[in-house]
Structure formats: structure tokens, C-alpha cells
Amino acid sequence: MDNSLNDKQKEAVEYFDSPLLVIAGAGSGKTKTLTYKIYFLIKELKYSPQNILAVTFTNKAANEMKTRINELLNENISLPFLGTFHSICVKILRSHGNILEIPNNFNIYDTSDSEKAILQAMEILRISPKSISVKSAKSFIQNCKNELTAPEDYPVYSNSASGLISIYNTYTEILKQSKALDFDDLLLKTVELLKYRDELEYFRNKFQYILVDEYQDTNVAQYTLIKMLVGDRNNIFCVGDPDQNIYSFRGANINNILNFEKDYKNCKVITLDQNYRSSKTILEASENIIKKNSQRKDKNMWTTNPNGNKIIHYCGLDEEDEANFVKDIVLKNYDKNDIAVLYRTNAQSRAIEEVLIRYAISYRLIGGLKFYDRKEIKDLLAFFKLIHNPYDTISFSRIINIPPRGIGAVTIKRIISNALNNQTDLVSALLNDKKLMSKEAIYNFSNSLKEWIENIKNNKTNLKDLLVDILYKTKYLEYIKKSEEEDFETRKENISELFTVINSYILGDDAANLLNKFIEDTALVENTSDNNLDEENNKPQVTLMSIHNAKGLEFHTVILTGLEEGLFPHSRSLNEPNDMEEERRLCYVAVTRAIKQLYITHTYVRNIYGQSTQNRKSRFIDDIPSNLIEEFKGKKAKKRESKYNNTKSTSTEEGFNDMTYMLKTGQRVNHEIYGAGNIIDFDKEIVLIDFDNYGKKKILISFADNLELLK
């Protein structure tokens, strides 16, 4: 056996007496151990590669393992059943799916194909996408299949349950007629196939040894499939780490790994506790963060690596101060390709992106679009652009049907043509179209456009109020919730962040001039944020990504931003113990991405989601022993520290302040910009206030500056 294996790794590779679970801490050589296990099966125990089932979670990991195994064997062998769950299920169904009346040449529908088939099902059932969105239906179907639950048994807490069940059944018929399976069918149908005794026995005999990587990330269908194939045999080897279970929103069930010893009697558990990646300082910090969780397997990680540098904790004034700190770190003599900036939510990237762009620092954004490329931001900017310039055909074409108003491409072309022929602006051309003005929705929208243009021109509104009114009158939030339900919270956070940008364009000039400057500035950011050329020229780039996207990666230097209560841990987790444990696991994953140097940041004040909030530093910072941290305050933070220490926090133990439950008609309030006023009306999103000096204003509760309730 290779001398590079440590004692625990070697024990895991050579043990075969009973089911084996390997708890592999971060940076402990998990993939190496799994690779050597397969090598040992083939080289020493003479297993045929055809009889080994090895399941990974990415094609990249599978290909890397195949390459490494061939290098160890010094020959090129085929490992047909080393791959992802889905790729292995395809092979099984191609050869044995006929028992379920699945032809061997079935097509596999990707996300786009599935959504088109769902829309087709909805058209057959005459269900409007306005009542049930395609994405909502897709999410329901996906959840049913991954949890092996019949649609009528899946819990849906809304009046759309019967519609979703009908869509599921009709969609299933469409797939059957098309001789196609969707991605989630691959697992579901394989489980159904193994319910036939002869098939189950065939594949149990076929797969003489079964290995599963990242076992903590398995869902119900994946867990069930493996359990059926193993039966009461000892031929199972699973490797994973409960402390790195961060995908519950995708269906990953941490109990699968926690209950391994109950599922597989007489099993052995080996813990890989030597970390090869991080310095002692970083490793000790991560262990102190994660040990407070109860849903875990105890392990005491250690390393022979040097102590390394202390963790730098930077306390900044606000998110721009934080972004400038990130810039300063990047400009030091580090390899920019080996620096990662991590954050809890994608909306945090905006401030960092803008500073990096300002200083011409190249960056790559992983797992998401750059802020000004995100659909909801481009939609709302198009409204602003059209209000600023009613002759803008591109912006007009983008927003005229957002949300949908039933205006077809031919009609849009006619409006644009009429505007050009009559040398008038597009809003006037729309208002002069008698056929369209007979439709109430289009009539109301057209008049809203006219009103917004006049209010900006006559300085009767500011940009924040304008954006609130656009959201209110177009019901844009309702539109994205129906069309993008799975991503609604993220998209809402991005819109909230747009309010943060707009806050800088409210005072100091006329509304028209401020709108012009806002559009100019955002256009400059958009046009200078394209890093494709840098990538082609192999120019060093800093990596920006959410923590979820960082799992499995490592960097010399990691800058972990936004460690504040309500942001990280996220406000949604503060009252949910299970969610808080996942937030802690997420922090553990973030910290253990760092090899040599870790920076963590928090700010006294953060302008995010359209609110200016003063939040306490994250509990995760307090979990790190003080002897491991070097505290560093920015100049602005030092200068204003005493002021903010004497100011009551706008955040509570429960997270971002939510005043909706305290509002009532007639309540006297004070607003940061508009001063005192009385609440006239409110709902979950918007409060209408009659201000003493500014008249009636709509304030979007979740985005606007905090209101102070007066006695």
C-alpha cells in the first residue's frame, strides 16, 4: 500500500469486514482515500471493475478519480459504474427499463425541456401560469420524485394543491408519450425497477462492492437506492462529513449519515481527523465554530501544518468600507487567482464588484450573474431608462410586457413604427393607440408611465419613491414570485440592494438630473464589468462567490465578508435551531476553504436590502478564540465608533427589524427622510403614510428605511 496514506486512511482502504462509514473532516484526504479504496479492490482483492459501483456527486469528481485510478494501476481500464447517481441510473434503465415499459432509446429532458412539457400540460388543463407558475409546478414535481412521494400525498399548504397534482399527472403522461424521462425520473424509475425481485437480485449480484462519496448530501431517493442495493450485505463504503451538510434546500438529508450505524448493523466508523489543507490557526477556528452543533459526529481535527498567520478581523464602517478593505487585500502581492471573496447572499457582491471595477481589478463571479446582469435589475433599470428617455425602443420593448399584459410582438412593432412615423415618443404612441387603450391593464400602465415621466420632470418625486411606485403599480414582486418562486427571496434581496444603490441619488439635485446621473453611472458599471477578455488573456482574477458555491474548493487566501447577526447567520435561521445549525455548518465550510490566510469582516452599519441597519457582529466571530484573531478597525469605523455605540441597534435578537406586526392605521411615525406623519393604510409590503411636510407617500416596508413609531 502507498506510504503516502496515513494510518486512518490506510485502515479505511483495507477494511472489508462490515459496512464502513468514513467521517472525513475538511481537507483530510477524502478523495484520496476513496480513490485508493477502489484501487485496492481491483489490484489486491481482484474485483472486476465491472462489478464496482462508485457514486460521486459531480462528473468532474468522477473523471478525476478515474484518471487517478488508472495512474495507480498503470493501465487504462474502464470503470463503467463510477459516476454520478444520474449517470449510473441511465445505464441501468437503458438495459433494464423495458420492465417498466421504458424504451432503451428514451430521451432525457433537461430543465428547459421539462418546463416546456409542464407548460404544455398546463395548456391542456387550461391552468394559467398566472395562477400556478411553471417553476412552482416544476419544484413540486421535483420534490415529489426526489422524496419518493405520490403527488396526492405531498404536503402543499395552499389552494393550488389540486392544480399541482393534475399538472404532475398530465406531465407524466406527456413524458410517457414522448418516450422521455426527466432528470428526477432517473432515480425514481431506478428505485421502482428494484422493487422487482429478479431485478433487485440481478443488480445486487452485479454490484459486488458499493462506494458513495459525499454521503451527507444524499436525498431520500438516493438513500433508498443505495439501501436497496446493499440489502443485508457488508459491501458498503460511505464517506462524508455531517459538518459539511449545507444543501438541505436541495433535499439533502443529514440524518442519512447520522443514522448510518442504525441502518447498517455491525458497521465500523473511521474518522479521518488529520487536516492537510489549513494552518493550525484556521483549523482551530473552524473546530471552535462547528463544535457548538448537536447534529454531528464528534471528531477532533489536527494538523502538522504550521500555526500560520492570525485571522484578521476587520471591522468597517459600512459595506463600501468593507469593499475597499477587500480591494486593499487584493492589491497586495498575492496571486489573484488564489484569492476568494465569500459571502452569504448574492446581493452582497454588488458593493464589492463596484469597488473592484473602479480600481480595474479583474474578477470572476462564480455561480451567478453579475449584479447589473440579473434579470430583475435589468427589468427595473429599463423602467428608469424609459422614464428618462421615452424614445428608448430597447427599454420599451423590455418592459411593455413585464409583467405580462398580452401585447404581442406585432403590436409592439406597430407602436414603435407609429412613434417613428409621427416623430413622437413611445409612451405617447402607446397612449394614442385606441385599440390598446380599450384594455384596462394597458391603459392603467400607460398612464402610470406618463405620470412617472411628469413627476421626474417636475421634481415631484425622488428615485426611491419612483422605484417603490413602479413595484407597487406593476405588481412586480407578485410577478417574480409567480414566475420565479424558487428564486424569489434571492431576487427580492437583489431588488432590495438596488434601493441601496438608489439611496445615493435622492438628495442634492433635481430628480431629473439625479436620474440622469444614476443611469450614466450604472451604465458605466455594466459596460466595464465584462471580464471575458481578461479570462481569454489569462489575466489573474479574484474569485467572488457565495459560500454554497465554494464547497469542495480551496484558496491560499479567503476573505469572508458580512459576518453580522441577521446576515450571517441569516435572519431566517435565528429562531429555527435546525436552520441555525446549517448556518454554522456553512460558516465551517467557508473558514475551511482557506489554506494560509483568512480574513473575516463585519461592519457597524450595512446598507443592504434598501435598509440602513446597525447589526451586532456575528456569533461565529465570538466562537473563535481571541488568541487566534488580530483585530483591525478601519479609520472611518474608529472615527464614528463612539457614535454608533451610543445608538440603539435597529436589529434585534430575531434579526432584521420587522415592524409590520406593530403597524396600525392612525399610528404616528417618523421617517428618516420625510419626517413625521400618520399611517393611512398598509399591507404586508407597503404602508401608505400622510407626512406633515411631504403629503402622501408609499413606503415599501421590507425595503425602505426603518420607521420610528411615535407615541
Side-chain angles (χ1 to χ4, degrees):
M1 185 53 61
D2 193 302
N3 291 329
S4 68
L5 294 175
N6 66 36
D7 290 343
K8 294 284 186 70
Q9 292 170 338
K10 185 177 180 181
E11 183 184 7
V13 168
E14 296 181 350
Y15 183 84
F16 287 91
D17 293 338
S18 65
L20 177 60
L21 173 65
V22 176
I23 301 296
S28 63
K30 168 182 69 68
T31 303
K32 180 179 181 179
T33 304
L34 185 57
T35 301
Y36 270 91
K37 184 81 174 181
I38 298 172
Y39 163 75
F40 191 84
L41 282 165
I42 298 169
K43 182 71 173 179
E44 302 297 333
L45 300 184
K46 306 305 179 184
Y47 276 74
S48 167
Q50 307 291 321
N51 298 130
I52 296 172
L53 171 62
V55 186
T56 66
F57 269 79
T58 66
N59 289 315
K60 180 182 178 183
N63 291 332
E64 288 176 353
M65 286 177 62
K66 287 177 182 178
T67 300
R68 181 65 177 139
I69 291 165
N70 281 323
E71 287 175 354
L72 290 171
L73 291 168
N74 198 26
E75 61 178 303
N76 190 18
I77 64 165
S78 173
L79 286 156
F81 294 100
L82 194 168
T84 64
F85 273 101
H86 294 94
S87 66
I88 289 164
C89 287
V90 169
K91 288 185 173 72
I92 292 173
L93 293 173
R94 292 276 188 220
S95 59
H96 288 253
N98 60 303
I99 293 195
L100 299 175
E101 298 183 352
I102 299 172
N104 59 13
N105 65 337
F106 64 85
N107 284 334
I108 301 171
Y109 277 10
D110 61 16
T111 299
S112 176
D113 296 329
S114 295
E115 289 179 353
K116 288 175 183 175
I118 290 169
L119 186 58
Q120 186 179 344
M122 293 170 67
E123 289 171 352
I124 292 170
L125 295 166
R126 296 185 179 179
I127 295 176
S128 169
K130 292 181 180 180
S131 59
I132 299 177
S133 72
V134 172
K135 287 191 177 294
S136 295
K138 185 177 185 301
S139 179
F140 173 77
I141 293 167
Q142 186 174 34
N143 290 339
C144 289
K145 291 180 178 182
N146 284 333
E147 295 182 28
L148 304 180
T149 304
E152 57 271 16
D153 295 330
Y154 192 85
V156 178
Y157 305 104
S158 72
N159 56 9
S160 61
S162 61
L164 289 169
I165 293 168
S166 297
I167 293 169
Y168 182 106
N169 293 330
T170 305
Y171 169 75
T172 300
E173 286 301 313
I174 290 171
L175 261 62
K176 187 175 181 179
Q177 291 170 10
S178 303
K179 298 182 179 181
L181 299 179
D182 65 22
F183 218 55
D184 304 302
D185 276 328
L186 300 175
L187 282 160
L188 174 67
K189 295 299 182 183
T190 304
V191 170
E192 288 180 6
L193 176 68
L194 296 181
K195 291 178 181 178
Y196 289 84
R197 182 178 297 275
D198 290 345
E199 296 300 314
L200 180 59
E201 288 304 314
Y202 173 85
F203 282 106
R204 281 183 175 174
N205 291 329
K206 172 75 174 174
F207 301 132
Q208 294 174 16
Y209 204 85
I210 298 171
L211 307 96
V212 185
D213 191 14
E214 302 284 13
Y215 192 63
Q216 79 280 351
D217 290 335
T218 52
N219 62 26
V220 172
Q222 292 160 345
Y223 163 85
T224 303
L225 177 62
I226 295 300
K227 194 82 169 58
M228 293 175 79
L229 288 170
V230 173
D232 57 2
R233 299 177 299 171
N234 293 331
N235 65 337
I236 177 73
F237 172 96
C238 292
V239 60
D241 183 7
D243 292 340
Q244 297 186 67
N245 172 270
I246 60 172
Y247 296 125
S248 63
F249 64 94
R250 295 181 186 169
N253 189 343
I254 193 172
N255 290 316
N256 293 348
I257 192 168
L258 294 177
N259 294 334
F260 187 90
E261 291 156 275
K262 294 179 181 178
D263 290 332
Y264 299 99
K265 304 301 181 185
N266 303 315
C267 77
K268 185 176 180 65
V269 178
I270 296 174
T271 301
L272 302 184
D273 52 9
Q274 182 176 359
N275 178 286
Y276 291 92
R277 176 187 298 152
S278 304
S279 68
K280 286 179 181 175
T281 296
I282 293 168
L283 184 61
E284 187 179 344
S286 69
E287 288 295 292
N288 276 277
I289 290 168
I290 199 61
K291 71 181 182 182
K292 290 193 174 182
N293 271 6
S294 60
Q295 299 181 82
R296 65 190 301 261
K297 298 276 190 181
D298 286 337
K299 61 181 187 297
N300 295 303
M301 299 297 294
W302 60 279
T303 184
T304 59
N305 291 338
N307 288 331
N309 298 327
K310 285 191 175 184
I311 296 166
I312 303 297
H313 170 212
Y314 179 78
C315 174
L317 174 64
D318 53 24
E319 72 285 350
E320 186 171 349
D321 192 10
E322 177 184 64
N324 276 301
F325 172 74
V326 170
K327 173 262 298 179
D328 290 341
I329 297 303
V330 171
L331 289 176
K332 289 184 177 180
N333 296 323
Y334 295 131
D335 177 1
K336 292 181 177 58
N337 285 328
D338 214 2
I339 302 176
V341 182
L342 306 182
Y343 35 79
R344 175 62 180 85
T345 65
N346 285 319
Q348 289 172 253
S349 76
R350 194 273 311 167
I352 298 167
E353 286 185 69
E354 289 192 357
V355 169
L356 295 181
I357 290 167
R358 195 182 309 150
Y359 285 86
I361 298 172
S362 297
Y363 68 93
R364 65 173 69 84
L365 194 70
I366 305 296
L369 291 170
K370 293 174 182 178
F371 183 77
Y372 289 104
D373 288 339
R374 295 166 191 170
K375 179 185 182 302
E376 59 277 10
I377 302 303
K378 293 183 81 69
D379 285 348
L380 294 171
L381 287 179
F383 277 98
F384 277 94
K385 289 176 182 178
L386 184 63
I387 292 165
H388 173 64
N389 173 16
Y391 293 87
D392 182 351
T393 57
I394 301 300
S395 297
F396 177 83
S397 299
R398 184 178 185 98
I399 60 93
I400 191 61
N401 259 332
I402 294 180
R405 298 182 185 87
I407 302 179
V410 174
T411 303
I412 294 172
K413 188 175 180 180
R414 184 184 76 228
I415 297 166
I416 293 173
S417 178
N418 288 341
L420 291 172
N421 292 336
N422 296 319
Q423 296 186 332
T424 187
D425 66 84
L426 291 158
V427 178
S428 297
L430 184 61
L431 286 164
N432 290 331
D433 194 312
K434 294 181 180 178
K435 185 177 180 180
L436 288 177
M437 288 305 99
S438 64
K439 299 179 180 180
E440 184 179 0
I442 300 173
Y443 175 81
N444 291 337
F445 176 69
S446 304
N447 279 289
S448 292
L449 278 172
K450 182 180 179 182
E451 178 187 341
W452 293 329
I453 292 169
E454 290 175 351
N455 284 346
I456 286 292
K457 182 179 179 181
N458 298 319
N459 203 32
K460 290 184 177 180
T461 190
N462 63 45
L463 300 197
K464 179 181 269 190
D465 287 351
L466 176 61
L467 182 51
V468 171
D469 211 41
I470 290 169
L471 293 168
Y472 176 66
K473 288 181 177 175
T474 63
K475 300 187 185 304
Y476 188 82
L477 289 173
E478 185 178 320
Y479 156 67
I480 61 169
K481 187 167 187 177
K482 284 183 177 179
S483 61
E484 307 283 350
E485 187 166 353
E486 284 183 318
D487 301 323
F488 175 64
E489 288 300 327
T490 298
R491 294 188 181 281
K492 187 176 176 182
E493 286 173 352
N494 291 333
I495 295 171
S496 305
E497 188 60 15
L498 186 59
F499 274 94
T500 304
V501 180
I502 283 174
N503 282 340
S504 303
Y505 299 86
I506 293 178
L507 303 174
D509 206 339
D510 289 344
N513 292 333
L514 288 167
L515 177 58
N516 179 56
K517 181 167 175 51
F518 170 69
I519 290 170
E520 280 185 5
D521 289 350
T522 54
L524 288 171
V525 172
E526 286 181 273
N527 291 332
T528 56
S529 65
D530 186 357
N531 282 313
N532 290 335
L533 185 59
D534 291 333
E535 198 165 338
E536 289 173 8
N537 294 334
N538 295 317
K539 187 175 181 179
Q541 293 179 298
V542 181
T543 299
L544 273 60
M545 69 177 97
S546 71
I547 301 166
H548 281 101
N549 284 310
K551 188 168 179 288
L553 304 176
E554 59 182 42
F555 299 88
H556 177 284
T557 300
V558 168
I559 309 171
L560 178 56
T561 61
L563 276 163
E564 295 139 30
E565 290 291 299
L567 186 58
F568 191 25
H570 198 283
S571 58
R572 290 194 295 268
S573 71
L574 297 178
N575 293 320
E576 296 293 336
N578 288 341
D579 292 345
M580 180 56 71
E581 292 221 347
E582 183 150 343
E583 290 291 299
R584 193 174 290 281
R585 293 194 292 269
L586 197 58
C587 189
Y588 173 78
V589 167
V591 169
T592 55
R593 298 312 93 196
I595 298 173
K596 297 288 187 181
Q597 183 66 66
L598 174 65
Y599 296 89
I600 55 178
T601 70
H602 91 276
T603 64
Y604 280 134
V605 178
R606 185 170 296 274
N607 300 294
I608 193 168
Y609 309 144
Q611 293 181 316
S612 178
T613 60
Q614 182 189 346
N615 302 310
R616 290 184 299 279
K617 68 179 179 180
S618 170
R619 65 192 70 190
F620 302 147
I621 297 177
D622 292 331
D623 291 339
I624 302 173
S626 59
N627 65 299
L628 303 181
I629 296 181
E630 184 177 342
E631 302 285 350
F632 181 62
K633 284 188 174 67
K635 291 180 181 179
K636 291 181 181 178
K638 285 180 180 178
K639 185 176 180 181
R640 297 182 63 181
E641 183 176 25
S642 58
K643 174 182 177 180
Y644 284 109
N645 281 342
N646 295 324
T647 303
K648 184 178 179 182
S649 172
T650 57
S651 288
T652 67
E653 190 67 39
E654 288 74 34
F656 288 127
N657 189 24
D658 182 0
M659 302 181 66
T660 54
Y661 70 96
M662 297 189 294
L663 299 180
K664 59 184 179 181
T665 303
Q667 170 72 52
R668 189 79 171 155
V669 296
N670 186 68
H671 187 271
E672 184 176 88
I673 295 175
Y674 302 123
N678 296 314
I679 294 177
I680 299 174
D681 195 12
F682 66 92
D683 57 25
K684 289 182 179 180
E685 291 290 348
I686 292 172
V687 57
L688 179 62
I689 303 171
D690 187 2
F691 289 102
D692 297 348
N693 297 321
Y694 287 88
K696 294 178 182 178
K697 298 283 185 184
K698 298 185 197 77
I699 305 295
L700 209 60
I701 296 171
S702 57
F703 297 160
D705 295 315
N706 290 326
L707 295 172
E708 178 187 357
L709 301 182
L710 303 176
K711 294 182 179 179

